[in-house]
Amino acid sequence: LKGELKTLSGKFNMLLDKLQLELNREKEQRKMQKEIQSSDSSKKVLYTVVLNIVPPDFKFPLIGMVNVAKGNYTGVNIGAANLAKGDMKGFQAGMVNVNDGKLRGGGFGFLNLRAGDIQGAEFGYINISGGNVRGARFGFVNANKGNIRGADLGFINLSTGVTEGLKLGFLNL
């Protein structure tokens, strides 16, 4: 059993490394696209019931099927898919919630995917973070590449860092 857990832990580490490489590649692609675009185009706002695309630091709730914040965002995202291409302060509720930076607040969805640290609470079937977690996560699978200070409550809880708090689940690595 110990050997199987080590194998599983190794596979988990490889998966997190691949995830981090993919997020870094996407960040580089966006950086190159930003350089190509003029500064005026980054200030444009598209706000409809179906699709919302807003510039960084937009100060209005995003409520639609697909919500995209082109940079840091503070507020509420409610939709089927929510993407913040920077740090997120507030709450995201949707089937898929993604942000390229840190989350300070909460998330509720089937899949919560964060590139950076989390400070707050997440409720989802799958919660994945590329950074540290400070707070609580509730889900079937909770995974992160950093340290946990708080609680991971799920069927499977995976972490490559140190846990200062509670990991409660069927499989805790």
Side-chain angles (χ1 to χ4, degrees):
L1 180 63
K2 201 172 198 178
E4 290 175 5
L5 287 176
K6 280 188 177 185
T7 302
L8 203 81
S9 180
K11 289 180 180 180
F12 170 68
N13 287 335
M14 287 175 35
L15 177 66
L16 286 176
D17 288 341
K18 286 180 183 180
L19 174 66
Q20 191 65 42
L21 287 173
E22 182 64 23
L23 289 171
N24 289 339
R25 185 184 64 78
E26 289 177 11
K27 280 184 182 180
E28 287 299 318
Q29 285 178 342
R30 279 192 295 282
K31 185 178 176 182
M32 288 173 34
Q33 288 173 349
K34 267 187 180 178
E35 291 173 0
I36 293 170
Q37 295 174 347
S38 70
S39 61
D40 291 338
S41 67
S42 67
K43 303 280 185 197
K44 290 183 182 177
V45 173
L46 174 64
Y47 200 92
T48 67
V49 175
V50 177
L51 176 65
N52 300 316
I53 301 175
V54 299
D57 300 317
F58 186 72
K59 303 293 183 199
F60 196 76
L62 297 178
I63 301 171
M65 291 299 291
V66 177
N67 300 307
V68 179
K70 292 183 181 179
N72 296 337
Y73 180 78
T74 300
V76 175
N77 288 282
I78 300 173
N82 300 302
L83 171 63
K85 295 182 178 182
D87 293 343
M88 171 74 188
K89 291 180 184 176
F91 183 76
Q92 288 182 317
M95 286 297 294
V96 178
N97 300 308
V98 179
N99 71 298
D100 289 345
K102 300 174 184 176
L103 169 67
R104 186 173 182 177
F108 181 83
F110 182 80
L111 173 63
N112 295 308
L113 180 59
R114 318 294 178 191
D117 297 341
I118 297 171
Q119 184 176 358
E122 284 192 314
F123 301 86
Y125 188 73
I126 300 172
N127 301 310
I128 299 175
S129 170
N132 298 317
V133 175
R134 185 174 182 178
R137 296 189 305 171
F138 305 88
F140 185 76
V141 175
N142 296 311
N144 73 297
K145 193 163 182 164
N147 299 325
I148 299 172
R149 188 173 192 178
D152 261 357
L153 306 167
F155 188 74
I156 301 172
N157 299 306
L158 306 167
S159 175
T160 61
V162 175
T163 299
E164 294 179 19
L166 175 67
K167 267 190 179 181
L168 183 61
F170 180 74
L171 179 61
N172 298 300
L173 297 174

